[in-house]
Amino acid sequence: MIRNVSKLLSKTKNIGTQTKQNNQQDLKPQDFLYHDFDQNVETFRSIYVNCFDVMFRSFLLYGKTRALVIYIVGLSNTNGIEDFVLYPFMKETANEEQSFHKLLENQMPVSMVKRINTFTECIQSIATGYPILLCEGENDAFSLGLCKWEKRGIEEPAAEGGIRGSREGFNESLGINTSLIRRIIKSPALKMQPMRIGEYTETAVVLAYIEGLADKGLIEEISNRLKRIKIDGILESEYIEEMIEDNSYSPFPQILSTERPDIACANLLEGRAVILVDGTPFSLVAPISFFSLIQSHEDYYQRPLMGTLIRWLRYFFLGISLLLPSLYIAILTFHQEMVPAALLLSMAASREAVPFPAIVEALIMEISFEALREAGVRLPKQIGSAVSIVGALVIGQAAVQAGLVSAPMVIVVAITGIASFMIPRYAAGMAIRMLRFPIMLFAGTLGLLGIMMSIIAIAIHLCSMRSFGEPYLSPLAPLKFRELKDVLWKSPLWMMDTRPHFTGESNTHRQSPGLAPSPKQGGDQSE
């Protein structure tokens, strides 16, 4: 941004008289505002040439001193500019002894007034929706807190709904998103570091963490990775995710994306960091492990036994989603002796009219199912679900009757698709869906040996991965038995008294010991 402003300023450095040029030479960088009011106005007009939505409102301060308000229509509060800037300053009565700064403090009913002295700061303020006020005789401008733009209301996240828990979700406004976190975590230890990324978009990004819980080295590493991003623009948090993750070529995400404030706050309380990006409801959480992608917020809003059962179902169907078509191909092609005789005869009868081998049959069905799933996502909401469901039923039935695929293969693909929907995180589900195809090819050429080789390759890849320097399979590899109470099973809340090991060794305990409920703990009960 500074580079662009310097280019624009270099075009206007010869504008004006020799006095203006001398004033410009007095300033070390060209980015500083000039002492001459006319030169400042001319520079801003040259910067915003062919920008019809940028308004230059000139007026006389108490009928004597020239002043100018610059703002963008649609981003600034025009009613506030009229009521709180133009009306009080255009009154006929004025105190001669009162300075311009005193006028701002005493007569402008605006909560935020910030003094700025560079063109870059002025352009950033205008682009954010904060008007700037220039006054003759002043070499500083004033950014006024009078922004007002259209924003979406707070709604329940469509992709992360649940039976129990908060119904609030982030939206595209960064200010609302930070306030939702502040409303849950009220401690001043919650820190939010602002920064801007993108040469042209100047996207506002906030790094949130709890001081004393998050490791200082982790926060410094995330901050350094964010600051070294040099790009034209940031349109969604995925841009940042790709720029700061450890392994960009891995199908598995190393950063958790969520649009639920309660999930973001839960990770903050565990010592992780949250990255909020203006213009998107999806926040980023780092560091994470593979098991963070399998856990759901509802695991913590249910009783421990139910949470553990659902979590184990998730792990089981994760394996089904990844391996079921490959197992079907391998057993039917190379290992028919593993199938009971009655079932094998039934499957052979259903495949009698199918002209393709099992691997081709599976690829046809899997690709068709993925196409239907993507079509259901891209179509309008009113017809998307109907098209995907009806299309799957009609195409599946027609393919079986035409002899292109067998009925058992349709059942296998349907079960695989249902299993993939049990993965809470869409990015993790996409990784499993992508890995399913190479495993099917290995199964069709090497049988069960190919499946075992694929599993070993995936395990090696996961063990070698890190999320901001932390092992991706932690706490399973390396093994930390105490932390398995929130991974392989869901322990009661009173048992989870420690935080994950990689999120700050200085404050490891999150609650007092001995909180297990007991009838003897009643305050008024006599022994």
Side-chain angles (χ1 to χ4, degrees), residues 10-172:
S10 63
K11 297 178 182 178
T12 60
K13 63 181 180 181
N14 295 324
I15 297 175
T17 62
Q18 185 66 35
T19 305
K20 297 176 185 177
Q21 293 178 358
N22 294 335
N23 288 338
Q24 181 180 349
Q25 292 174 359
D26 293 339
L27 300 172
K28 218 191 231 170
Q30 288 184 343
D31 195 31
F32 281 109
L33 293 172
Y34 304 122
H35 293 283
D36 192 320
F37 177 77
D38 292 327
Q39 192 171 6
N40 286 329
V41 174
E42 187 66 27
T43 302
F44 276 112
R45 289 190 180 275
S46 64
I47 292 174
Y48 287 109
V49 66
N50 295 330
C51 298
F52 78 96
D53 56 338
V54 180
M55 297 290 111
F56 292 78
R57 177 61 167 91
S58 303
F59 65 97
L60 290 178
L61 183 66
Y62 295 123
K64 299 179 180 180
T65 307
R66 290 184 298 168
L68 175 70
V69 177
I70 306 176
Y71 63 94
I72 296 179
V73 176
L75 294 183
S76 300
N77 187 352
T78 54
N79 292 331
I81 294 174
E82 295 172 0
D83 297 338
F84 305 142
V85 180
L86 300 180
Y87 176 73
F89 282 166
M90 293 174 71
K91 286 199 227 173
E92 295 182 1
T93 60
N95 188 351
E96 296 281 345
E97 300 178 356
Q98 203 170 23
S99 67
F100 182 64
H101 306 290
K102 293 293 184 182
L103 289 174
L104 288 177
E105 294 176 359
N106 300 333
Q107 291 192 243
M108 182 178 289
V110 178
S111 60
M112 189 194 78
V113 179
K114 180 183 177 182
R115 183 184 300 182
I116 51 181
N117 58 5
T118 66
F119 285 101
T120 298
E121 291 177 317
C122 292
I123 292 173
Q124 288 177 350
S125 176
I126 295 170
T128 311
Y130 298 108
I132 65 166
L133 174 62
L134 299 172
C135 183
E136 188 176 16
E138 296 287 337
N139 59 345
D140 291 340
F142 296 88
S143 174
L144 312 177
L146 292 173
C147 64
K148 182 182 180 182
W149 56 81
E150 296 298 326
K151 50 185 176 292
R152 183 169 59 92
I154 300 175
E155 303 172 355
E156 181 179 2
E160 297 181 75
I163 299 175
R164 188 169 180 176
S166 174
R167 294 294 189 266
E168 293 180 337
F170 291 132
N171 65 8
E172 288 74 18

Side-chain angles (χ1 to χ4, degrees), residues 193 207 215-226:
Q193 294 182 3
L207 174 60
D215 185 72
K216 294 182 180 179
L218 169 66
I219 301 304
E220 184 178 356
E221 176 65 22
I222 297 176
S223 179
N224 291 336
R225 294 192 189 188
L226 290 173

Side-chain angles (χ1 to χ4, degrees), residues 141-216:
F142 296 88
S143 174
L144 312 177
L146 292 173
C147 64
K148 182 182 180 182
W149 56 81
E150 296 298 326
K151 50 185 176 292
R152 183 169 59 92
I154 300 175
E155 303 172 355
E156 181 179 2
E160 297 181 75
I163 299 175
R164 188 169 180 176
S166 174
R167 294 294 189 266
E168 293 180 337
F170 291 132
N171 65 8
E172 288 74 18
S173 173
L174 182 62
I176 292 179
N177 295 343
T178 56
S179 66
L180 289 174
I181 293 179
R182 285 283 184 190
R183 197 175 70 178
I184 299 176
I185 303 177
K186 303 176 177 63
S187 171
L190 174 61
K191 307 300 180 182
M192 294 189 177
Q193 294 182 3
M195 59 189 73
R196 291 188 176 272
I197 303 177
E199 185 176 355
Y200 293 99
T201 61
E202 288 286 330
T203 305
V205 177
V206 169
L207 174 60
Y209 63 94
I210 298 180
E211 192 174 40
L213 299 187
D215 185 72
K216 294 182 180 179

